[in-house]
Amino acid sequence: MYVVRYYLIRRLLLIFPTLLVVSIVVFLLSKIVPQDPVLSQLRFSATDIWDGREVNSEALYSSTYLEMGLDLPNFYFSVLPDNYPSNLNAISNWQDKKLIKALITQGYNFDQIDPLIHCLSRLRIGEENAELIQTFYNSAIINQLSVISDLELQQVVAELDENKSTYFVPSIRWHGLDNQYHQWLSSTLQGQFGRSFISGKTALSQVSTAMLWTLAITLPAILITYTLGLIVGYVLGRNPKGKKERVLNHFFYLIYSIPMFWLASLLVVYFTTNDHGAWTNIFPSVGIDIYPGSSTTSQIWMNYHRLLLPIICISIVYVAYIARLFRRSILDERQATYVMTAYAKGLSDDEVLRKHIVPNAMLPLITLMVGSFPRALGGSVVIELIFNVPGVGRLLYDSLGLADWNIVFCIVMTISLVTIIAYLLGDFLYALVDPRIRYE
Amino acid sequence: MIRGLRKYGLKPWQLISLMTFLLVGILSEFLAHDKYLICLDSGVSFFVSCEYCNRGIAPPIPYRYNSIDKNNRGVSPLGKQQVASVYYRHWLGTDKLGRDVLAGVIEGAQVAVGIGFFSMLLSVIIGLLFGYLSGFLGDDSIRISWLGFLLLISCTCLFLFYFSYMVSPIRWLLLLSLMPLWLIGVTFFSTVETNKLGITIPLDIMVMRLIELFRSMPIIFIILVLLVLIAKPGYWSVIIIIAIVRWPTVTRYIRAEILKIKEQNFIQAAKMIGLSNRKIFIEQVLPMAISPVLVVCAFGFSSAILTESTLSFLGIGLPVEQVSWGSLLSQSRSDINSWWLVLFPGLMIYFSIYLFNTIGDTASEYLRGEVES
């Protein structure tokens, strides 16, 4: 047991670095996806600019950008080519940023681009050059500027061309604690996940509501799956060579391969309408009734008849899976030498099965069962989409599409934490139940 | 090859269905097309439109997956159809736009075969590589000098840096081809004996940590982020995404199998007589690992088909104009009364998954020694 305890303590300590790495990976992923968080924020908060009126949209964009704290560097340090500015995020004007990025990738140095931007913004006020400068902003081809006869501009362009380099070397810059990741991490550690852009609610409350909906489906499904799965697996493994068992085994194998989204579609098409005869209209039609004002738990309770179909759908596929696994496990245990010993003691078939084989055969299922809880928390996007349940899977799916990263962070970090703890718990239970286990 | 697969206990019906599935997928363009396959009017020409050809070889199904029959929109396979002859009948009905479901199902087979095969191949290659690193080499096989270690780290960092900021594709390719060579070179030339000064690279721990990192994030999050990252996903990006999602499972399985093989006496003996690691792996371990790899391939195929059809069903992944089983099925969501749109593409997904699952199962039973060859 000493070795096991040592192993488990080491694993327990490893939770923190793993979570830290997950948080870094997820955060950096959110920074490199080609989505503009400011635009999706504006789309839901200020509808004015999308009506075509464009109420000073550039200034609005910049102020929202600064408000969201996007002007800070992404991480504690950055490794960038030497012609990059130390903090590209500090440029809040998206047109300028686009131009600067395009010019930097062509090899121009940022120190010379900065005066160019100033010069252009001065020239843009005059009517004559505005169109030319706009085309330059879109194409980022320096030669186009030669048409404009402005002494200062030509000087800047000449300097720009002079300092253009064909190669670049990495330069490492240290940004200190004043960066977006650090701010996000420290507010997360205080339990503040921020707000959703879309609904304006706090991420934590929205995610916990969604989790209640998801658990309302997945927890009963897990209960059904493991009870029925173990019973069926026991029946199948009791007499594996029997004719009835073999037919039943194959039947469950047929069920096991059914894609869940197909089963769900079939159930919806055949069992929720009157089209195929009145007797097939067993279940209520898809969708959730929202009763405004009542709490989530009471809403779930009032919708319970509508959650039956998704629960059945998930259970059918997983019962077959667990049953087959348990049968397999029983068959494997039959080969063990302790079974022979048990027979030699004079135990009957039934006693050997119940007292010796089944307890041992259930061991591999422990890890599986514990591991199914984080999956249950995450929900299934397909099931939630088909049955229109406002669960975690659908929330994650929608939030990612709309760049609502506060929600995404909240969901992913919660599920990661639960997953890591569940795997640890699985190992711990396994060691507790089976004294033979020695982790090295 | 058939005899080879028979050796692993595969039943004739599995082999026949497998061959049919692969053939339909590969020959989909010749099975369902709205043009004459071969026109014999004047000389021999291929894929000629019906209006310009009188004599020739027509495909078995006179519709392509994207050809639209205006007269038959959303017709049921059992209902009345306005067609010229039985040859033009829509055997599995049509969707709302008037596209033939049978042609769509055949096109879907092509997508399933292609995406299933290539993503399975990719994930098995990654799995074998990482299985070799973590299962076979393990934590204490590779010991390199400090100089080699520093070179390795700095070059990997430089490679990653230039890889992410390079613009020209030719320089990319150059780097891509040079870097692995460099990595292998440094690793092999700076390998030192256990008693010399150096650092042991814990390959097993590194790979297992990476897998743990992958497994602690929800799969759907990984898929969705990758899809957003790619911005315009196509055929090959879906293959790569499926392989990225799949490789941890494959690696864990192959690693476990390699660990089992490594325990056996003849491997120990080969080590005793001083054969090199690579030689032992290629000549002794790989031949033993064929049937686990076969198991992984079969399950990889079925899981790739499932993932691809799920993604297409959700309307993400493959481009909208690409017809696949999942996208056919997803049409039933807006059109709940078209039972044929749910039934037939779904049956195809189901049968292919079932087929590959049974093949994988038979192969793993063979692996346990339950099937006599």
Side-chain angles (χ1 to χ4, degrees), chain A residues 14 22 34 80 168 170 250 253-254 257 261-262 269-270 275 324 328 332 381-382 385 397 400 408 416 423, chain B residues 161-162 165 209 213 215-216 220-221 224 228 310 313-314 337 339 342 346 350 354 357-358 361 368 370:
Chain A
L14 261 173
V22 170
L80 289 167
F168 55 88
H250 213 83
Y253 200 64
L254 285 170
S257 298
F261 69 98
W262 184 50
V269 167
Y270 284 102
D275 286 11
R324 281 187 53 78
R328 181 79 260 165
D332 283 347
V381 178
V382 179
L385 277 176
Y397 178 81
L400 256 173
V408 176
S416 297
Y423 283 140
Chain B
F161 170 74
Y162 279 104
Y165 290 106
R209 284 280 162 279
L213 180 67
R215 296 211 314 165
S216 59
I220 188 71
F221 169 74
L224 288 173
V228 176
T310 310
F313 180 76
L314 293 176
N337 298 325
W339 55 268
V342 184
Y350 175 54
Y354 175 70
N357 277 351
T358 50
D361 233 40
R368 292 165 200 261
E370 284 174 15

Side-chain angles (χ1 to χ4, degrees), chain A residues 183-256:
Chain A
Q183 290 205 338
W184 172 74
L185 187 69
S186 48
S187 62
T188 303
L189 288 179
Q190 287 163 21
Q192 289 165 347
F193 281 91
R195 282 175 183 282
S196 157
F197 301 151
I198 301 160
S199 62
K201 291 179 196 156
T202 57
L204 212 55
S205 74
Q206 205 172 350
V207 171
S208 54
T209 310
M211 274 182 183
L212 278 181
W213 278 105
T214 297
L215 288 176
I217 297 176
T218 45
L219 280 186
I222 286 184
L223 207 70
I224 296 172
T225 300
Y226 280 90
T227 348
L228 278 183
L230 288 180
I231 294 171
V232 173
Y234 176 75
V235 170
L236 291 179
R238 195 172 48 191
N239 179 17
K241 294 244 161 66
K243 203 165 190 180
K244 247 189 293 176
E245 278 83 356
R246 274 164 71 178
V247 172
L248 207 60
N249 180 35
H250 213 83
F251 171 71
F252 274 98
Y253 200 64
L254 285 170
I255 290 179
Y256 163 67

Side-chain angles (χ1 to χ4, degrees), chain A residues 158-190:
Chain A
E159 221 169 279
L160 200 64
D161 274 328
E162 225 168 80
N163 287 303
K164 187 181 177 183
S165 60
T166 46
Y167 64 92
F168 55 88
V169 287
S171 76
I172 302 168
R173 291 163 176 121
W174 179 255
H175 298 301
L177 295 183
D178 209 14
N179 63 65
Q180 287 184 45
Y181 174 73
H182 187 79
Q183 290 205 338
W184 172 74
L185 187 69
S186 48
S187 62
T188 303
L189 288 179
Q190 287 163 21

Side-chain angles (χ1 to χ4, degrees), chain A residues 261-294:
Chain A
F261 69 98
W262 184 50
L263 183 69
S265 307
L266 279 178
L267 290 176
V268 168
V269 167
Y270 284 102
F271 293 110
T272 61
T273 61
N274 261 327
D275 286 11
H276 310 280
W279 66 272
T280 59
N281 192 3
I282 300 169
F283 295 101
S285 54
V286 169
I288 297 294
D289 294 327
I290 297 297
Y291 305 97
S294 48

Side-chain angles (χ1 to χ4, degrees), chain B residues 43 55 101 144 201 235 242 256 263 266 317:
Chain B
R55 209 158 53 84
V101 173
I144 62 174
I201 300 182
Y235 192 77
I242 294 175
E263 289 291 299
F266 66 93

